Amino acid sequence: MCGMARPPQEFETLNIQLLVDSIPALIHTARPDGYLDYFNKPWLEYLGAAMDDVMGWNWRAFIHPEDVEGIVAQWRACLATGEIFEYETRVRRANGEYRWMLHRKVPLRDANRDIVKWYGSSLDIDERKTAEEQLRRNAEELQRSEFYLSEGQRLAHMGSWAFHPDGFDYWSPELFRMHGLDPASKPPSGQEYLDRVHAQDRKSMEALLKAISEKASTFDATKRIVRPNGEVRYIRCVGAPVVEDQSLKKYVGTAIDVTEHELLTQELRLREAYLAEAQRLSHTGSFGWNISSGKIVWSDETYRIFEVAPSSKVSLQMILERVHPRDRSSAEMAIAAAARGEGIDLEYRLLMPEGRIKYLHVVGKTDRCESGIEVIGAVMDVTARKETEVELRRSKAHLTNAQRLSRTGSVGLEVNTNRMSWSEESARIYGYPPETEPTPDLILRRAHPDDVGLLKDVLERAAQGGNDFDFEHRLLMPDGSIKHIYNLSHCLKDEAGNEEVVGAIMDITERKAAEAKIREQEIEVRQMLDLAPQHVAVFGPAGERLYANRVELDYLGLGLEEWQQTPGTFFQPGSFIHPDDRERAARAYSDGARSSGSAYELELRGRGADGSYRWFLVRYNPVRDEQGKITRWYVASTDIEDRKKIEERLQLENVALREEIAKVSMFEEIVGTSPALKIVLSRISKVAPSDSTVLITGETGTGKELVARAIHRRSDRSSRPFVSVNCAAVPRDLIASELFGHEKGAFTGATHQRLGRFELATGGTIFLDEVGELPIEIQIALLRVLQEHEFERIGGNRPIQANVRVIAATNRDLQAAIHDGLFRSDLFYRLHVFPIDIPSLRERCEDIPLLVEYFIDRYARKAGKNIRGVNKRTLQLLESYPWPGNIRELQNVIERSVILCESEIFSIDESWLPQQSLVAAGPKHPTELPHKLLAQEKNLIETALKECRGRVYGPRGAAARLGIPRSTLESKIRSLRIEKNRFRT
């Protein structure tokens, strides 16, 4: 009760210590470092020691010396890993007796999982250890008893087992070893056992287990099992049921490893299969015949040879029925000889039911045994060999005929015996009968006296096993004629090392005669070429120099060998060609020309012996063989030096004449002498030599295209195309294709590739008339051409370089179009590099008489009329008219009047000029009328612009209000210098 009055913490601590000391167990604690800091009272009483005697590491003094090292090592290992400590040792108690103890320590961890304390207990297990020792001794005794049984099973490869439906109760150690398992493991369950069975045998074993489980019965089965290392073993199982009270309890039985027996059986079957396959491949069957019993045994191949079913009964009668009638008697004689105990070696034919013939070779031997005489033999189908022999005889006959026709014989010399052989044709070539056996003496007897030494040397080297021979020699025949012989031979060795020289002998007498004839003809041809006035050379297929005629060699100052050895080839001209022509000559013979072998010609300069160069027209012609392969190049060169000089002189004269014509007629279609026109012509002369972009502006009909053509003719591009495009005349959807072209399939209807105007004008000039009418999207593409000098066809993806000078023209006010968003300002500034403004006809009235005269002369000659002068009144009318259509309107009026004119004095119908009445009512000075008309026209346009607020086109524009086309109004605004932007509000 006094203890209860203590503070709660002290009371709890005291109770725990009393509790631990009162427990009949051995309790101790340790620090995290392994220092044992507490043993309870039972421990101290058990040891007969004080607390200080066992604290820390002093407890080791109470451990059996043989166990100290082990428990300390285990304790230190658990301190390092934090694992639960368990260990068995012998501990000395107070009376000095050692008893076995099981020590266990568990770590206590804080919130951070760090060990803060170890709590342990020890249990006296001495009695258990004593019992275990007794069991061990009993087990050893039992193991000795079992050893003899297991050793007997091991030596016999036999194991025993006990099985019930849920699995095996018992497996002997040898059975474990037979399955490659540890004998210490437990017997497998039914499914584990099936898993060990080979996959191909598993279903059958599963069915067997199911059957014997349903009905008790003995069984004997052989199956394959697979050991853990993959080895396959054959196991034979024999089992019997154990039945108690008419109920199946289990099966007991034995298992025998029959792997070696099974493998031997399989090998025997395999050998039988190999033998059968070998017989099939070699078409050789085997047979056995017991003469006493008459029984005949055939192999499968023998059945196949005789083409009868394996189930058929074989008899002598059946065999004789298959034998060819002409060979039947010899077959019967062989059968009779075998019956007497003699051997068989016979070839005969079989006549198959459909008339086909087979050739057989039968061999056999007889053997006397207890049952009588037995014949064992083989039947070989030699049909293929027989047919090959027939074919060989036929081939030999063909070879003999071929040698006779080609006059080619064969010869052989055995090195070891020096025995010679030759074909019938070889004997005929040497002039001996076909059956003559060749000898070195017979061969040398026919040799030409000058070739005896050569032929003798060859025969001696061939007799010593010489290598290949390839030579020609002559024969002197008995009739005095000479034969030319070509010999080709080679030394062969067989597997035994025997050497034989075999070769061919060819009679080439006729070929030699033909070669001599060809050489004579070649000499004649060369003489003809040397006398020809042309330079002729012959080159090989790779360009090597072969021949040059005398004219060529004399010009070069070289001999034939010097020319052949000079560096360079046909394809890579050397120093004979002028340096400026070498690259062109090499390029002319391109890869395409080389592969196709086409003939071609080239003009170039060749260097003569004196170092001077002359012009030649060189023609290259290939010569092909029967397969189309080029064998020679014939090159013929004609001196064209005089012609080239004449052409050069004419060319210089032509250039000078063209320049003079260009100076005189550059402006032949631009007629007039007015100051305004002279300013235009001066600007044309200045801008023409450059490549600058030109923008031509002016009213309609003022001759903008004539100015563009004049610029082109005066430029460096005058020899290249001048392509004109009226941008207003091309439909909006087609303008891109018109300018830049398109690829096949780029859009519906694009059935083929089309080149645009920019490509057609490559190197020249393109004139874009009415450029102000281009759609915005085309303006962007045109801007790219001017900036990047490249474009792409519609539907294409490859940029095309644009080497074109651009000249544009318009009668529109492009500044106003830019303000209205109808024309791009960046394109305007690209075009406005060099502007030329063409004055209207009313601004150059002084040119009207010249223009009238020019047009009258032009159309009069065209119409075949002779007009000598112009009516004065007509000229006054023409000069006073304002010509809103400018020169085009004047040209049309003149052309119409010339057609209708019937006299030599030109006149016009005054009604054709609407302003005629104004002329009659005007002042005395005719030049005042145009100025009044211009002032009146300017006033009308400005009034319309004011009312329309500066808008030119559209339903509410000034052009619609005045009833004139938009382009005409734009032209008049420019010519009258009206600032239309000031009317915009």
Side-chain angles (χ1 to χ4, degrees):
M1 296 302 292
C2 294
M4 296 179 62
R6 294 180 182 179
Q9 182 66 33
E10 293 181 3
F11 176 76
E12 184 180 352
T13 304
L14 179 59
N15 284 342
I16 292 176
Q17 185 173 356
L18 289 174
L19 177 63
V20 172
D21 287 340
S22 65
I23 293 175
L26 307 180
I27 307 299
H28 58 276
T29 63
R31 298 172 186 172
D33 60 355
Y35 183 92
L36 270 65
D37 57 359
Y38 172 74
F39 286 83
N40 71 344
K41 186 176 179 180
W43 246 128
L44 298 176
E45 293 175 350
Y46 183 86
L47 297 174
M51 182 70 72
D52 294 337
D53 296 333
V54 295
M55 287 183 64
W57 294 88
N58 295 331
W59 53 267
R60 291 177 292 181
F62 296 92
I63 304 299
H64 193 285
E66 295 178 359
D67 301 336
V68 171
E69 183 178 355
I71 189 172
V72 171
Q74 180 68 17
W75 176 228
R76 293 188 186 279
C78 290
L79 289 174
T81 61
E83 297 178 352
I84 295 175
F85 171 83
E86 283 189 358
Y87 201 80
E88 294 179 358
T89 65
R90 287 165 286 182
V91 181
R92 187 182 73 241
R93 61 186 303 175
N95 60 5
E97 177 188 2
Y98 283 96
R99 294 183 66 84
W100 282 98
M101 289 280 186
L102 171 62
H103 306 286
R104 177 180 173 88
K105 296 181 180 68
V106 179
L108 176 66
R109 301 178 184 270
D110 59 12
N112 296 325
R113 302 297 296 166
D114 295 328
I115 297 175
V116 297
K117 198 73 172 176
W118 286 87
Y119 293 96
S121 64
S122 300
L123 181 65
D124 188 329
I125 59 171
D126 192 73
E127 293 180 359
R128 193 197 77 184
K129 286 294 238 181
T130 302
E132 288 177 354
E133 179 64 20
Q134 183 62 38
L135 287 174
R136 185 184 62 79
R137 286 194 294 269
N138 294 339
E140 288 178 354
E141 188 68 26
L142 179 61
Q143 285 177 356
R144 273 194 300 272
S145 301
E146 291 178 347
F147 170 76
Y148 300 108
L149 175 62
S150 62
E151 185 65 12
Q153 289 186 351
R154 185 184 66 81
L155 294 174
H157 298 292
M158 178 184 293
S160 56
W161 51 267
F163 172 77
H164 63 82
D166 294 332
F168 287 91
D169 293 332
Y170 168 75
W171 267 23
S172 67
E174 182 59 23
L175 189 56
F176 278 103
R177 282 190 287 270
M178 286 164 56
H179 285 76
L181 301 176
D182 184 3
S185 57
K186 66 178 182 178
S189 65
Q191 185 59 46
E192 290 174 342
Y193 173 74
L194 289 174
D195 291 340
R196 296 286 182 186
V197 176
H198 194 282
Q200 295 179 359
D201 299 339
R202 194 170 296 152
K203 286 187 177 181
S204 61
M205 285 304 299
E206 189 174 1
L208 175 62
L209 292 177
K210 183 178 179 181
I212 64 176
S213 298
E214 295 174 352
K215 182 180 179 181
S217 61
T218 59
F219 64 89
D220 185 346
T222 301
K223 85 283 187 181
R224 288 168 291 177
I225 58 98
V226 181
R227 289 181 173 179
N229 61 1
E231 182 183 2
V232 177
R233 306 293 292 180
Y234 288 84
I235 306 296
R236 179 185 177 188
C237 290
V238 179
V242 176
V243 180
E244 295 180 2
D245 298 332
Q246 297 183 350
S247 175
L248 176 64
K249 296 299 183 180
K250 63 174 67 176
Y251 278 89
V252 294
T254 60
I256 306 173
D257 188 340
V258 295
T259 303
E260 286 69 21
H261 174 75
E262 282 291 332
L263 293 178
L264 289 174
T265 303
Q266 291 179 10
E267 184 177 359
L268 180 59
R269 293 189 189 123
L270 186 62
R271 288 180 178 180
E272 290 177 351
Y274 286 158
L275 177 61
E277 183 65 13
Q279 288 187 354
R280 186 185 66 82
L281 293 175
S282 63
H283 302 292
T284 302
S286 57
F287 68 90
W289 175 30
N290 189 305
I291 297 177
S292 301
S293 64
K295 184 178 180 181
I296 299 176
V297 179
W298 276 2
S299 67
D300 292 342
E301 184 60 23
T302 307
Y303 281 103
R304 279 192 289 269
I305 291 174
F306 277 83
E307 297 184 12
V308 296
S311 59
S312 303
K313 184 177 181 180
V314 182
S315 64
L316 293 177
Q317 184 61 32
M318 184 267 285
I319 294 173
L320 291 173
E321 288 177 356
R322 284 292 173 95
V323 176
H324 194 283
R326 295 182 181 178
D327 299 338
R328 196 166 292 161
S329 59
S330 60
E332 291 173 346
M333 292 174 61
I335 292 172
R340 296 192 299 270
E342 300 176 5
I344 301 174
D345 190 346
L346 173 69
E347 284 192 3
Y348 61 91
R349 291 167 292 177
L350 295 182
L351 181 61
M352 308 311 292
E354 71 275 16
R356 184 164 40 88
I357 292 177
K358 276 188 174 183
Y359 292 84
L360 301 186
H361 182 198
V362 180
V363 293
K365 71 169 186 174
T366 59
D367 187 18
R368 295 185 179 274
C369 59
E370 294 180 357
S371 60
I373 300 176
E374 287 189 351
V375 181
I376 301 173
V379 180
M380 291 166 278
D381 185 347
V382 294
T383 305
R385 190 193 74 188
K386 284 291 185 180
E387 292 176 349
T388 301
E389 291 175 355
V390 173
E391 186 63 29
L392 283 175
R393 286 194 293 272
R394 185 183 297 110
S395 298
K396 184 177 179 180
H398 291 336
L399 178 61
T400 301
N401 290 331
Q403 288 188 354
R404 182 176 56 80
L405 294 173
S406 63
R407 297 182 182 179
T408 302
S410 57
V411 64
L413 171 64
E414 296 178 1
V415 176
N416 295 338
T417 62
N418 283 337
R419 180 177 174 276
M420 297 184 67
S421 60
W422 62 10
S423 65
E424 295 180 359
E425 184 60 25
S426 296
R428 277 193 290 268
I429 290 174
Y430 274 83
Y432 292 112
E435 65 277 3
T436 304
E437 183 175 348
T439 63
D441 182 61
L442 289 178
I443 293 175
L444 293 174
R445 192 181 302 171
R446 286 281 192 265
H448 191 281
D450 296 340
D451 296 340
V452 170
L454 169 65
L455 200 55
K456 189 174 183 180
D457 178 65
V458 170
L459 290 172
E460 290 176 354
R461 286 193 290 129
Q464 298 173 2
N467 295 325
D468 298 350
F469 297 97
D470 187 347
F471 66 99
E472 293 181 6
H473 68 93
R474 291 164 294 175
L475 299 180
L476 181 60
M477 306 308 291
D479 60 0
S481 62
I482 294 177
K483 285 186 177 181
H484 290 267
I485 307 300
Y486 174 55
N487 290 270
L488 183 65
S489 59
H490 178 67
C491 185
L492 300 176
K493 287 185 179 180
D494 59 16
E495 295 179 355
N498 299 319
E499 293 182 325
E500 183 178 5
V501 179
V502 296
I505 300 173
M506 287 168 273
D507 186 348
I508 58 172
T509 305
E510 293 183 359
R511 193 188 77 184
K512 284 291 185 179
E515 289 176 354
K517 183 65 175 178
I518 290 173
R519 283 194 294 271
E520 292 178 2
Q521 293 175 348
E522 285 181 351
I523 293 173
E524 292 180 2
V525 170
R526 290 196 176 189
Q527 291 176 347
M528 294 170 59
L529 291 175
D530 288 340
L531 297 175
Q534 276 192 323
H535 298 245
V536 179
V538 182
F539 297 87
E544 62 273 19
R545 293 187 174 94
L546 300 179
Y547 170 76
N549 70 343
R550 180 51 49 193
V551 175
E552 174 74 2
L553 296 175
D554 290 345
Y555 177 75
L556 298 175
L558 299 173
L560 180 60
E561 292 185 1
E562 292 180 282
W563 176 76
Q564 291 173 339
Q565 297 172 3
T566 303
T569 64
F570 167 50
F571 309 126
Q572 298 174 343
S575 58
F576 302 124
I577 307 300
H578 193 283
D580 296 342
D581 299 339
R582 289 173 190 169
E583 182 180 356
R584 181 165 52 88
R587 189 171 60 251
Y589 191 76
S590 62
D591 292 338
R594 184 180 301 187
S595 61
S596 62
S598 304
Y600 64 99
E601 62 182 32
L602 186 68
E603 292 184 359
L604 48 80
R605 289 161 287 183
R607 179 174 57 80
D610 58 357
S612 62
Y613 289 91
R614 295 182 66 84
W615 279 98
F616 290 90
L617 173 62
V618 185
R619 292 183 174 87
Y620 301 85
N621 294 281
V623 176
R624 301 175 182 274
D625 57 15
E626 295 179 355
Q627 288 74 33
K629 185 179 179 181
I630 296 176
T631 58
R632 292 287 187 273
W633 281 93
Y634 287 93
V635 181
S637 304
T638 304
D639 191 324
I640 58 171
E641 178 68 19
D642 295 338
R643 194 199 77 189
K644 291 295 285 187
K645 288 182 177 179
I646 294 173
E647 288 178 354
E648 184 177 358
R649 185 169 65 251
L650 290 175
Q651 186 177 7
L652 292 174
E653 293 175 356
N654 189 28
V655 169
L657 181 60
R658 285 178 177 272
E659 291 178 352
E660 184 65 25
I661 292 173
K663 291 179 182 179
V664 174
S665 61
M666 183 183 73
F667 305 120
E668 62 180 359
E669 294 184 353
I670 303 177
V671 179
T673 58
S674 64
L677 183 60
K678 286 181 179 180
I679 293 174
V680 173
L681 298 179
S682 174
R683 294 178 67 83
I684 291 173
S685 299
K686 291 177 181 179
V687 77
S690 71
D691 265 350
S692 299
T693 304
V694 179
L695 178 61
I696 305 172
T697 57
E699 296 181 12
T700 182
T702 54
K704 292 186 287 296
E705 184 170 352
L706 292 180
V707 172
R709 290 184 180 276
I711 294 173
H712 173 71
R713 283 199 296 268
R714 191 65 175 172
S715 70
D716 295 334
R717 298 172 178 266
S718 58
S719 61
R720 306 297 295 170
F722 177 87
V723 178
S724 177
V725 183
N726 190 326
C727 300
V730 181
R732 182 187 186 93
D733 295 338
L734 299 179
I735 186 65
S737 173
E738 184 71 18
L739 292 177
F740 308 118
H742 63 256
E743 299 288 353
K744 181 179 179 180
F747 49 84
T748 303
T751 57
H752 60 277
Q753 186 189 73
R754 184 181 188 276
L755 302 183
R757 296 301 183 93
F758 271 94
E759 280 189 81
L760 295 175
T762 298
T765 303
I766 186 169
F767 174 55
L768 303 177
D769 197 7
E770 301 293 349
V771 72
E773 305 299 327
L774 285 176
I776 290 294
E777 58 272 16
I778 304 302
Q779 295 179 28
I780 296 172
L782 178 59
L783 179 63
R784 181 190 176 192
V785 175
L786 296 174
Q787 288 178 338
E788 308 296 337
H789 301 289
E790 66 178 23
F791 61 92
E792 293 179 3
R793 300 192 191 104
I794 297 176
N797 54 13
R798 181 178 59 87
I800 300 172
Q801 295 298 316
N803 178 20
V804 181
R805 181 181 190 172
V806 178
I807 300 177
T810 182
N811 57 17
R812 290 185 59 183
D813 184 355
L814 294 183
Q815 291 285 3
I818 292 171
H819 184 274
D820 296 336
L822 300 175
F823 201 81
R824 296 179 60 91
S825 59
D826 47 4
L827 177 59
F828 171 76
Y829 292 118
R830 281 287 178 179
L831 294 174
H832 201 260
V833 176
F834 194 92
I836 297 179
D837 187 43
I838 310 298
S840 62
L841 186 55
R842 58 182 170 274
E843 293 176 301
R844 41 182 285 218
C845 295
E846 56 267 43
D847 290 335
I848 291 178
L850 290 175
L851 288 168
V852 170
E853 183 178 351
Y854 172 79
F855 286 132
I856 290 174
D857 179 67
R858 178 177 175 180
Y859 292 114
R861 282 189 285 105
K862 189 174 180 180
K865 296 184 178 181
N866 184 18
I867 299 178
R868 298 179 177 275
V870 181
N871 183 280
K872 187 176 181 180
R873 174 62 179 167
T874 295
L875 188 57
Q876 290 177 350
L877 288 173
L878 295 176
E879 289 177 337
S880 62
Y881 183 64
W883 298 109
N886 291 295
I887 298 175
R888 186 179 297 115
E889 184 181 3
L890 173 63
Q891 179 181 352
N892 293 339
V893 170
I894 299 299
E895 183 179 7
R896 189 189 323 160
S897 300
V898 169
I899 293 172
L900 298 176
C901 184
E902 296 180 354
S903 64
E904 295 182 351
I905 303 301
F906 176 78
S907 61
I908 65 171
D909 188 342
E910 296 182 9
S911 64
W912 294 349
L913 301 179
Q915 299 298 327
Q916 182 64 36
S917 58
L918 297 176
V919 176
K924 297 180 180 180
H925 302 288
T927 57
E928 295 179 3
L929 179 61
H931 294 293
K932 290 184 178 182
L933 290 173
L934 292 175
Q936 183 179 4
E937 188 175 30
K938 183 176 182 181
N939 184 43
L940 290 172
I941 293 174
E942 288 180 344
T943 301
L945 289 171
K946 184 177 181 181
E947 293 175 354
C948 297
R949 298 185 178 182
R951 177 179 290 274
V952 176
Y953 55 91
R956 298 181 181 180
R961 182 175 292 275
L962 295 172
I964 61 177
R966 162 188 166 184
S967 59
T968 302
L969 179 57
E970 293 276 12
S971 177
K972 290 182 180 295
I973 290 174
R974 285 196 307 274
S975 63
L976 297 174
R977 293 177 174 81
I978 299 173
E979 182 58 41
K980 64 181 180 181
N981 291 330
R982 64 189 177 90
F983 298 104
R984 300 179 186 272
T985 58

